């Protein structure tokens, strides 16, 4: 697939715009919703730094 990096760069502002427009407190009915999202992202990054194989490979 050619140009996938261009698509990725084009997709990022779209995703960030959608995330910014969402009222997460009303959506999840929890004032700590943003912290949960940050924690999830950090946990995924830490877990990925520990592993070196693709997902599903034993």
């Amino acid at each position: 697939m050619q140009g996938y990096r261009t698509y990725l760069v084009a997709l990022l502002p779209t995703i960030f715009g959608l995330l910014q427009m969402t009222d997460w407190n009303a959506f999840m009915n929890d004032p700590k919703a943003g912290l949960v999202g940050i924690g999830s992202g950090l946990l995924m990054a830490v877990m990925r730094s520990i592993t070196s194989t693709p997902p599903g490979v034993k």
Side-chain angles (χ1 to χ4, degrees), residues 3-49:
Y4 69 92
R5 284 176 263 166
T6 304
Y7 289 123
L8 178 63
V9 171
L11 185 62
L12 287 175
T14 304
I15 291 171
F16 291 140
L18 288 171
L19 290 173
Q20 188 272 332
M21 287 175 37
T22 304
D23 182 8
W24 292 102
N25 291 335
F27 179 68
M28 295 186 163
N29 200 20
D30 186 356
K32 296 179 184 172
L35 294 175
V36 171
I38 292 170
S40 298
L42 289 174
L43 180 62
M44 286 192 307
V46 168
M47 289 172 52
R48 182 61 191 147
S49 69

